[in-house]
Amino acid sequence: MNVSMVSRMSSPATSSDREKVVSKLPGWLRQNLKVRAAQRGIEIQAAVEEGISAWCDLASATAAVDTAGADSFATFLPPGQWEGFRRIAADRRVSLIQGLAQSVQLWLETHPAPDIERPSITRRIVVCNQKGGVGKTAITAGLGEALAEDPDTLQPVRVAKALTKALRASEAHPDEAEPDDDPLDIENLPGPGMRVLLVDFDPQCHLTNQLGAAPLPMNGDSLTNHMAGDPKGDLGDLIVSIDDDTFNGRLHLLPACNDAFLLDVRLSAVRAREAALERALAPLEADYDVIIVDCPPSLGLSMDAAAYYGRRRDGETPGQSGALIVVQAEDSSADAYELLTTQIDDLRGDLQVDIDYLGIVVNLYDSRRGYIATSSLQGWVDIKDPRVVGLIGDLKEQKEAVRVKEPLLSYAPKSQQAVGMRALAREVL
Ligand SMILES: Nc1ncnc2c1ncn2[C@@H]1O[C@H](COP(=O)(O)OP(=O)(O)OP(=O)(O)O)[C@@H](O)[C@H]1O
Ligand SMILES: [Mg+2]
């Protein structure tokens, strides 16, 4: 008997002191049970046990549940519970299937989905690295999508231990490290349901284009205008929603405009220019739990403004907001990393602000490239502060999603990359 066949959520196997019960449950009820148990972080068998126990304690049966189309459902209960339930069901003249359905329904009604915990200060994540093509835009989009996913739907997530394992494997056997090969390290979890704004802060407009939106026209309003203190309207009016069932109106994008190429020039005339991005985005914050800024591959004034926007605010816990650095598992990334962290450290010193690092994401990892990839990965892991919070493989789905201009997590929700983005979201949360 193997409990993990039924549910492999947390807590140790209890097969030895439980008995297997096979009955029937309609598919919709089984699905609701599965989702709610995951939302509340409890095993399905424990939820059924609680439901049956509560149902048996009632004075009479509850309202009849539609059990049409019920099919096989197996679970594990404490010894004797099913026998007691069977007697009570007989007394109440309900079938075992109806009694079980009522028990599960009762548990669902008394155990509602937990409220989503929203940060009191909107979290700001600045995705940066002045080295081009390392995957800043891909990570911005994937992370935002993962944070906005539906809290009532389960999606596969690679849990943190899998990352740790891959890293350890790369230490022990540099040739065998695979970040994403073991399906047993994948867990089905509900989406975080965050309200997310993605800010395309790069004049190349890559994020805007990849998500199928249009760059803002040159002669209209733009983030650059707002930062330069020359707005033509509300910045919020420029925002578009990335529509897809799984994001259900929670994933928004502030598109870029080519005028951002002139940002550094226009900022040079602005007072306290490092605060320009903050001033521009502040009116939007009330509508979002998380704002993610996709930085351009450069180290200019705009990078200063982005880093400053990610600084720790009064009353904010360390590590809630800050810089997320995307690197590639190859040696040439290391120099770029030094430059970037030097600039951020200088800004910290010059302006006397705290800018936290949220971690390093190693992207485009491919262990088949052998020693260069694995030893570089090890190099990133060895930095330790900040630590590696994400490892994303070099896989085709990302490029395909870009080609068809769809969010990766809608285009390939079960892909290893999507699974990795969800793991990253949970590391950053
Ligand atoms: N994990 C991945 N697997 C496969 N392809 C990837 C992955 N990450 C990014 N890419 C692809 O690599 C290219 C560069 O990625 P991306 O645009 O995200 O990098 P970037 O750092 O934002 O670049 P830039 O510095 O120009 O802004 C894109 O074509 C993207 O689709
Ligand atoms: Mg980019």
Side-chain angles (χ1 to χ4, degrees):
M1 195 188 300
N2 184 354
V3 170
S4 66
M5 302 279 289
V6 175
S7 162
R8 44 170 310 274
M9 295 200 58
S10 58
S11 75
T14 46
S15 49
S16 55
D17 51 15
R18 286 182 168 252
E19 59 186 19
K20 184 171 183 179
V21 170
V22 180
S23 180
K24 287 186 173 182
L25 211 56
W28 61 270
L29 198 50
R30 196 169 38 214
Q31 183 60 20
N32 289 351
L33 172 64
K34 197 167 133 194
V35 171
R36 190 67 53 78
Q39 287 171 329
R40 299 186 66 100
I42 114 169
E43 288 188 75
I44 292 177
Q45 58 178 11
V48 175
E49 177 190 341
E50 286 177 15
I52 290 180
S53 159
W55 187 81
C56 290
D57 286 347
L58 294 175
S60 70
T62 55
V65 173
D66 182 2
T67 56
D71 55 11
S72 181
F73 173 74
T75 191
F76 294 86
L77 297 175
Q81 187 185 29
W82 189 252
E83 211 26 64
F85 164 74
R86 191 190 273 275
R87 277 196 304 275
I88 293 174
D91 292 346
R92 291 177 181 170
R93 292 190 178 76
V94 297
S95 69
L96 289 176
I97 295 170
Q98 180 58 225
L100 180 63
Q102 290 183 15
S103 300
V104 169
Q105 184 65 22
L106 180 63
W107 184 83
L108 288 169
E109 281 162 12
T110 49
H111 295 80
D115 287 340
I116 289 170
E117 266 182 55
R118 302 194 182 279
S120 51
I121 300 174
T122 298
R123 299 180 60 170
R124 289 113 30 238
I125 300 175
V126 178
V127 180
C128 54
N129 191 341
Q130 77 287 358
K131 184 170 176 351
V134 292
K136 295 178 288 294
T137 301
I139 297 297
T140 300
L143 174 61
E145 292 159 24
L147 287 167
E149 272 190 322
D150 184 15
D152 294 323
T153 307
L154 303 185
Q155 295 283 9
V157 181
R158 176 153 48 80
V159 287
K161 62 177 194 267
L163 173 62
T164 324
K165 208 181 86 187
L167 298 179
R168 245 188 253 121
S170 90
E171 231 164 291
H173 312 280
D175 300 334
E176 292 166 22
E178 264 302 331
D180 44 26
D181 59 349
D182 187 352
L184 280 181
D185 285 318
I186 309 247
E187 216 168 312
N188 286 312
L189 296 174
M194 296 278 122
R195 298 165 306 166
V196 178
L197 175 65
L198 305 175
V199 177
D200 189 349
F201 195 42
D202 183 349
Q204 302 176 97
C205 308
H206 286 164
L207 181 63
T208 304
N209 286 321
Q210 286 185 15
L211 292 172
L216 299 166
M218 279 294 276
N219 50 1
D221 201 10
S222 66
L223 178 59
T224 304
N225 287 341
H226 283 253
M227 289 181 67
D230 186 19
K232 296 187 177 169
D234 279 346
L235 192 58
D237 292 344
L238 304 178
I239 290 174
V240 294
S241 181
I242 307 301
D243 284 325
D244 185 277
D245 284 351
T246 182
F247 311 126
N248 199 14
R250 284 179 299 266
L251 183 65
H252 292 180
L253 167 74
L254 176 58
C257 171
N258 285 135
D259 70 354
F261 277 118
L262 303 169
L263 181 64
D264 278 18
V265 178
R266 289 184 65 187
L267 277 186
S268 59
V270 170
R271 190 184 49 79
R273 54 191 181 227
E274 63 283 346
L277 184 60
E278 171 144 319
R279 281 195 298 266
L281 295 180
L284 307 176
E285 288 182 4
D287 293 333
Y288 299 98
D289 301 312
V290 186
I291 296 183
I292 311 179
V293 181
D294 179 24
C295 290
S298 63
L299 280 179
L301 289 179
S302 53
M303 184 57 221
D304 278 357
Y308 182 85
Y309 185 55
R311 83 189 186 289
R312 194 191 312 153
R313 294 184 182 167
D314 284 348
E316 200 172 24
T317 317
Q320 296 284 105
S321 295
L324 185 67
I325 303 177
V326 180
V327 301
Q328 218 170 320
E330 56 160 69
D331 293 325
S332 65
S333 270
D335 300 336
Y337 172 82
E338 284 295 326
L339 271 176
L340 175 66
T341 51
T342 304
Q343 176 169 356
I344 292 179
D345 291 345
D346 286 351
L347 201 63
R348 279 168 158 171
D350 293 349
L351 299 172
Q352 294 289 300
V353 290
D354 292 311
I355 300 169
D356 294 328
Y357 290 109
L358 300 179
I360 297 175
V361 179
V362 180
N363 185 37
L364 288 159
Y365 181 70
D366 184 353
S367 64
R368 288 169 309 176
R369 284 186 205 127
Y371 181 73
I372 294 294
T374 53
S375 63
S376 313
L377 172 60
Q378 191 56 51
W380 295 117
V381 172
D382 287 342
I383 292 177
K384 292 204 167 76
D385 183 8
R387 71 188 171 90
V388 171
V389 290
L391 179 61
I392 307 287
D394 183 349
L395 298 163
K396 66 178 177 20
E397 284 84 357
Q398 171 64 37
K399 292 191 176 69
E400 289 169 0
V402 168
R403 178 77 50 88
V404 297
K405 300 191 170 191
E406 269 184 46
L408 171 70
L409 273 66
S410 318
Y411 172 74
K414 310 252 181 270
S415 65
Q416 292 296 348
Q417 275 167 337
V419 165
M421 294 295 184
R422 294 189 191 104
L424 171 63
R426 282 158 180 84
E427 283 289 324
V428 168
L429 265 182

